[in-house]
Amino acid sequence: MALPGELWAELTMETRIFCSVLLFSWAVYLWEAFLARRQRKVYRTTTHVPWELGQIMDSETFEKSRLYQLDKSTFSFWSGLYSELEGTMILLCGGIPFLWNVSGQISGRAGFEPEYEIAQSLVFLLLATLFSAVTGLPWSLYNTFVIEEKHGFNQQTLGFFFKDAIKKFIVTQCILLPVTALLLYIIKIGGDYFFIYAWLFTLVVSLVLVTIYADYIAPLFDKFIPLPEGELKQAIEMMAKSIDFPLTKVYVVEGSKRSSHSNAYFYGFFKNKRIVLFDTLLEDYCALNKEHSEGEDGEDDDTKSKVKNKKQGCKNEEVLAVLGHELGHWKLGHTIKNIVISQVLSFCLTVLSRRFEFQADAFAKELGKAKDLYSALIKLNKDNLGFPVSDWIFSMWHYSHPPLLERLQALKDAKQD
């Protein structure tokens, strides 16, 4: 009877590579599933508010966040299992060679001979992304209209969802196909050092996309309006000036038409920085805090918000504290460092990102925003139903932001001072 080592030695090199890829894929999946199982145990067993949060989180909010995160984790398990099984079946059944042959037939009918492998590759990529979009659609629908709907976050209608999905697919192809064609051409003519040229090209493309995303891509999906003149805008401009942040514009994005989750970010290079605030972050601007009113244009049948409950948002002082944290990322050079580190390993980036979050919190403290950031983090955690308790291995592996309790503890001393 042949031993496993002898059987392995008898396999061709191609078969060994195939088996290695398959085994590695399942090893990664099982590791992720193990971590997720540990975290689900935390969701199931932690049914009472930790004493550290007893004064700042009520039991009702805690229970809502626990059930929300448990539902998301369970959904992630099943969608991840399906994805892994689908990928395995595609490999075992020869789905990739089949799709490549179909791509060759299509490109051939379009007048491209077999030596035009770039054209065939683009057809292959288009068909592969189309297949992925179709097979992923039921999962996306369930996540949006069952889980997010159940917990009060979804603000989309079916019409809005499908228009958005089609638009995303088209925009993605408009970017992906030309970039891929250029990358393949660079690889084709790059000679022995093609990998260096390919890496430099992808780095440049990444920087360009970061630069143009908020100005030219994001407005295709959401409405951006300048933050009106007033106390908040003046305070933001004063804080930016105090740390030499080259702020040029401040926008509010109508994220409430899509979801009640909140966010804020800045973008731009050199002396052209801009800040974007989600309307769900701003207590005074959030549509979810206002009574439902008639729309302003004909698209409202598809895009109007389905207001179910009021969201709290943050007061101006708390918004400034959150921005103080975000500006800390810029002042401390975290953005450039993240771009560089991202060319390495994602786990290293997660570890570094957690360190950066503490540093950015400390920067906000130096701006005198510790008390407001403390309350803002609590409000944002409540509005987004974030669960404050995590399994330590799951948190270390997945969370680019430290858990709420750790961030509050780091801010506590300065807040008391």
Side-chain angles (χ1 to χ4, degrees):
M1 182 177 180
L3 297 175
E6 295 174 345
L7 291 174
W8 180 259
E10 294 176 357
L11 298 176
T12 63
M13 182 57 69
E14 292 81 1
T15 305
R16 291 183 190 179
I17 294 175
F18 177 84
C19 293
S20 297
V21 169
L22 203 57
L23 289 173
F24 179 76
S25 177
W26 274 97
V28 171
Y29 167 75
L30 291 174
W31 169 247
E32 298 278 1
F34 166 73
L35 295 179
R37 183 175 180 273
R38 290 176 61 97
Q39 184 61 19
R40 278 196 300 277
K41 183 178 179 181
V42 173
Y43 294 146
R44 291 192 181 100
T45 59
T46 309
T47 57
H48 299 288
V49 181
W51 67 268
E52 301 96 328
L53 296 175
Q55 300 299 318
I56 57 178
M57 178 176 281
D58 58 87
S59 57
E60 181 181 359
T61 300
F62 182 84
E63 181 66 7
K64 285 181 179 179
S65 65
R66 185 183 74 86
L67 295 176
Y68 175 54
Q69 298 299 332
L70 183 59
D71 282 350
K72 287 209 305 179
S73 180
T74 303
F75 170 80
S76 179
F77 167 77
W78 289 110
S79 62
L81 178 60
Y82 169 80
S83 179
E84 192 66 24
L85 290 172
E86 179 189 85
T88 300
M89 292 302 297
I90 288 174
L91 289 175
L92 292 177
C93 297
I96 294 178
F98 171 78
L99 193 61
W100 178 254
N101 291 331
V102 171
S103 302
Q105 294 172 12
I106 294 175
S107 61
R109 291 175 182 174
F112 294 97
E113 299 298 326
E115 59 267 22
Y116 292 96
E117 64 272 10
I118 292 180
Q120 184 174 352
S121 298
L122 295 182
V123 175
F124 174 85
L125 185 60
L126 176 62
L127 294 178
T129 52
L130 180 61
F131 174 82
S132 178
V134 172
T135 58
L137 183 60
W139 297 99
S140 183
L141 284 167
Y142 186 88
N143 180 59
T144 301
F145 292 100
V146 176
I147 295 180
E148 295 294 303
E149 183 87 12
K150 174 183 177 182
H151 295 279
F153 288 114
N154 177 46
Q155 306 299 324
Q156 302 179 65
T157 63
L158 272 173
F160 182 92
F161 175 90
F162 279 108
K163 286 198 300 185
D164 203 49
I166 295 172
K167 192 185 298 183
K168 283 180 181 178
F169 183 82
I170 294 174
V171 171
T172 299
Q173 300 310 311
C174 290
I175 297 173
L176 183 62
L177 296 180
V179 169
T180 302
L182 286 173
L183 179 60
L184 291 174
Y185 182 72
I186 290 172
I187 294 173
K188 185 177 180 179
I189 67 172
D192 293 339
Y193 298 98
F194 76 90
F195 58 93
I196 296 178
Y197 306 135
W199 175 77
L200 289 173
F201 174 74
T202 55
L203 181 61
V204 170
V205 169
S206 298
L207 294 176
V208 170
L209 288 177
V210 168
T211 303
I212 68 172
Y213 173 77
D215 282 329
Y216 300 103
I217 300 176
L220 296 174
F221 302 96
D222 296 297
K223 185 178 180 180
F224 287 70
I225 58 174
L227 179 66
E229 295 292 337
E231 180 182 342
L232 178 59
K233 185 177 181 181
Q234 292 176 357
I236 292 175
E237 291 173 342
M238 289 179 59
M239 183 169 65
K241 186 177 181 180
S242 70
I243 62 170
D244 298 321
F245 181 78
L247 178 64
T248 56
K249 294 182 180 179
V250 183
Y251 291 110
V252 178
V253 57
E254 294 184 353
S256 57
K257 289 187 176 181
R258 187 182 308 277
S259 170
S260 57
H261 290 296
S262 52
N263 197 7
Y265 62 91
F266 70 88
Y267 69 98
F269 287 103
F270 307 112
K271 299 296 182 181
N272 187 28
K273 305 287 187 183
R274 304 174 187 193
I275 289 175
V276 176
L277 306 171
F278 279 51
D279 63 344
T280 48
L281 177 68
L282 310 178
E283 188 176 62
D284 295 336
Y285 293 91
C286 181
L288 301 178
N289 287 337
K290 302 174 183 178
E291 292 184 1
H292 182 64
S293 59
E294 291 184 3
E296 298 178 354
D297 53 53
E299 290 187 348
D300 283 347
D301 288 340
D302 284 340
T303 62
K304 62 184 180 182
S305 298
K306 300 177 289 182
V307 179
K308 304 174 185 63
N309 46 43
K310 294 184 179 181
K311 304 298 291 184
Q312 187 171 0
C314 291
K315 298 178 180 177
N316 287 355
E317 296 80 5
E318 293 162 343
V319 173
L320 290 171
V322 172
L323 285 180
H325 168 95
E326 295 300 326
L327 294 179
H329 286 307
W330 169 80
K331 190 70 173 180
L332 300 172
H334 294 165
T335 304
I336 299 299
K337 292 175 183 176
N338 273 337
I339 292 175
V340 174
I341 294 297
S342 65
Q343 307 298 315
V344 195
L345 299 175
S346 60
F347 176 67
C348 294
L349 181 61
T350 298
V351 173
L352 190 65
S353 180
R354 289 166 66 94
R355 178 179 174 84
F356 285 171
E357 290 304 313
F358 283 121
Q359 290 180 352
D361 283 348
F363 185 85
K365 285 164 54 176
E366 293 176 3
L367 293 176
K369 303 295 183 182
K371 181 178 179 180
D372 293 321
L373 182 58
Y374 189 93
S375 61
L377 289 175
I378 294 170
K379 285 187 177 181
L380 292 175
N381 187 81
K382 178 180 178 181
D383 285 353
N384 292 285
L385 291 185
F387 195 67
V389 183
S390 301
D391 173 77
W392 71 274
I393 300 181
F394 182 88
S395 172
M396 180 181 67
W397 186 263
H398 283 291
Y399 290 170
S400 61
H401 286 54
L404 177 66
L405 283 176
E406 294 182 25
R407 295 182 69 182
L408 294 182
Q409 186 60 43
L411 288 169
K412 191 173 183 181
D413 293 338
K415 175 176 175 291
Q416 290 175 343
D417 293 342

